[in-house]
Amino acid sequence: RSNQYQLVSARISLTIRGIRSYGDYTRCYRILKDRIPGIRAAVPREASWGLARFDVAAEGTIPTVAERLREKLTGEIQRQDDRNLEIHLR
């Protein structure tokens, strides 16, 4: 069985690239906190020009969580493994 389909029971390190303003950052953070089923917690770790990093606690498989994030954040998945996820905003 592939690690890709393990249930997520720990934190995922989420990197969001393509942040162009503080408004982009706050929108992403609000979406993580309030609007994605299965996301139990999102803790900000870094914010800089073009980039934000969060620790995310989620329920479900990593591909399912990745797809929900991709849809809600309107981005493309750049990298994904059993602990890390990187999304680039459009």
Side-chain angles (χ1 to χ4, degrees), residues 41-61:
V43 178
R45 290 292 173 212
E46 178 184 350
S48 59
W49 179 253
L51 174 80
R53 286 195 169 93
F54 298 91
D55 285 337
V56 175
E59 300 168 346
T61 64

